[in-house]
Amino acid sequence: MPWLFFATSVAFIQSMKDVYNKTQLKNFDEYIIGCSLTFFTSLFLSPLLFLIDIPQLGNNFWLALLVSGSLNAIAYILYLRAIKISDLSIIAPVTTFSPLFLLVTSPLIVGEFPQPLGMTGVLLIVVGSYLLNLKEKQKGYLAPFRAITTDKGSRLALLVAFIWSISANFDKVGVQNSSPIFWGISVFFTISIFLLPIVLYKSHQNLYKLKTGGWKLGVYGMINSVAMGCQMIAINLTFVAYVISVKRTSALFSVLLAKIILKEKGIKERLLGAVIMVSGVFFITISQQL
């Protein structure tokens, strides 16, 4: 299954990006990182235009580009802010809620209907989210769930997961109305265009930092371009929910790297919660094949 290789590659690179984001947020704000990442990603993907046939654009290409570009611009800022203010080992697993939301958004947007087995996956995601904040149980049995909604970073991550569940479907529409590579370049360039005015307004006093540290963001964009190319190819080969589900296994890698590199605490229950949530993701994935 070629799609599985591409989707798993995205998951691994995503976890490395999460750690890198967390460390770079000490030097740059979320607006500069978001805009730089998307611009350099489109820049490093653009030479591929000379190696592929420029596709004939379908009727829904521009609508998909506008929706995905604007939603992902918002999601990038919110996600970066979430990992800036909260532990990565909490934020990364919360994003696994996006396949759960896809059970609703995919049928509405692209007509992909989940099977009953997906409900088992939903239950596992809920159980895993409970375990993420198990230490809160002493405050009451519902306290772990409340911890997700009361922690600002977790709330932002949950919102990001919902936004991604919508934008991923429009990514598929965009790919179907162009090609994987052409869409990847187009959508990331569009996101950077949306974010540029925000950067000039919110971060103009910090742009000088790009003179010395901008090359790091360039390397970051190059790595991300590989991941996004893999994701667009995978989406074109199978269901959106399938690809995004495998991509969300990055939560496991992120939790482990948060312990190893960032020295975050409380990893034991968070890792268990992440494992169960990812198991739920796979149940949802399997239901898409039946």
Side-chain angles (χ1 to χ4, degrees):
M1 296 185 290
W3 72 266
L4 184 59
F5 168 78
F6 289 112
T8 304
S9 299
V10 176
F12 179 75
I13 296 174
Q14 178 66 44
S15 65
M16 297 300 295
K17 283 168 50 186
D18 285 343
V19 175
Y20 187 81
N21 278 332
K22 185 73 172 179
T23 58
Q24 287 303 305
L25 282 165
K26 299 176 181 178
N27 304 315
F28 303 99
D29 61 35
E30 57 267 33
Y31 307 107
I32 292 178
I33 291 181
C35 186
S36 299
L37 168 65
T38 52
F39 172 74
F40 283 118
T41 298
S42 62
L43 182 65
F44 284 111
L45 283 173
S46 59
L48 295 177
L49 292 175
F50 296 99
L51 303 177
I52 64 172
D53 295 327
I54 302 300
Q56 182 176 356
L57 303 183
N59 295 330
N60 294 321
F61 174 83
W62 294 108
L63 174 62
L65 185 63
L66 176 63
V67 175
S68 180
S70 57
L71 287 179
N72 275 298
I74 297 171
Y76 266 99
I77 297 302
L78 294 180
Y79 184 67
L80 288 168
R81 186 174 298 171
I83 64 175
K84 182 179 182 179
I85 63 179
S86 297
D87 285 352
L88 177 59
S89 54
I90 281 287
I91 299 303
V94 171
T95 61
T96 61
F97 274 94
S98 59
L100 185 152
F101 295 135
L102 278 164
L103 291 175
V104 177
T105 60
S106 285
L108 294 175
I109 299 174
V110 294
E112 294 178 354
F113 293 89
Q115 299 297 321
L117 187 60
M119 293 301 101
T120 302
V122 171
L123 178 61
L124 288 173
I125 289 177
V126 172
V127 172
S129 68
Y130 183 87
L131 294 176
L132 285 179
N133 292 285
L134 189 60
K135 63 182 180 180
E136 299 290 328
K137 184 174 177 291
Q138 58 185 353
K139 300 177 183 178
Y141 285 101
L142 295 180
F145 289 128
R146 289 197 298 268
I148 291 180
T149 58
T150 55
D151 177 70
K152 185 177 180 179
S154 296
R155 292 201 307 270
L156 290 175
L158 198 60
L159 177 58
V160 169
F162 178 70
I163 294 173
W164 281 344
S165 75
I166 300 174
S167 64
N169 288 292
F170 281 95
D171 282 338
K172 179 150 192 173
V173 173
V175 168
Q176 291 174 334
N177 284 267
S178 54
S179 70
I181 299 301
F182 188 86
W183 173 255
I185 296 170
S186 300
V187 74
F188 273 92
F189 182 71
T190 301
I191 295 170
S192 66
I193 292 298
F194 277 124
L195 290 177
L196 182 59
I198 301 176
V199 170
L200 295 178
Y201 176 72
K202 301 282 290 187
S203 309
H204 61 277
Q205 294 181 339
N206 296 319
L207 291 177
Y208 72 92
K209 295 181 180 180
L210 292 173
K211 293 181 180 180
T212 55
W215 65 272
K216 297 179 181 179
L217 299 179
V219 173
Y220 182 28
M222 180 175 64
I223 296 173
N224 193 56
S225 67
V226 175
M228 291 303 100
C230 290
Q231 179 171 327
M232 296 308 160
I233 293 173
I235 283 177
N236 196 45
L237 295 175
T238 190
F239 284 163
V240 175
Y242 209 5
V243 175
I244 301 304
S245 295
V246 175
K247 179 180 178 180
R248 292 296 162 247
T249 61
S250 65
L252 294 177
F253 298 117
S254 294
V255 171
L256 290 172
L257 292 175
K259 171 65 174 178
I260 296 171
I261 299 177
L262 303 177
K263 309 301 182 183
E264 291 183 1
K265 299 180 179 180
I267 296 298
K268 185 180 296 184
E269 64 267 20
R270 294 174 186 176
L271 182 59
L272 177 60
V275 168
I276 293 176
M277 293 178 81
V278 171
S279 298
V281 164
F282 275 114
F283 270 94
I284 295 174
T285 296
I286 292 172
S287 75
Q288 298 294 315
Q289 285 193 319
L290 298 180

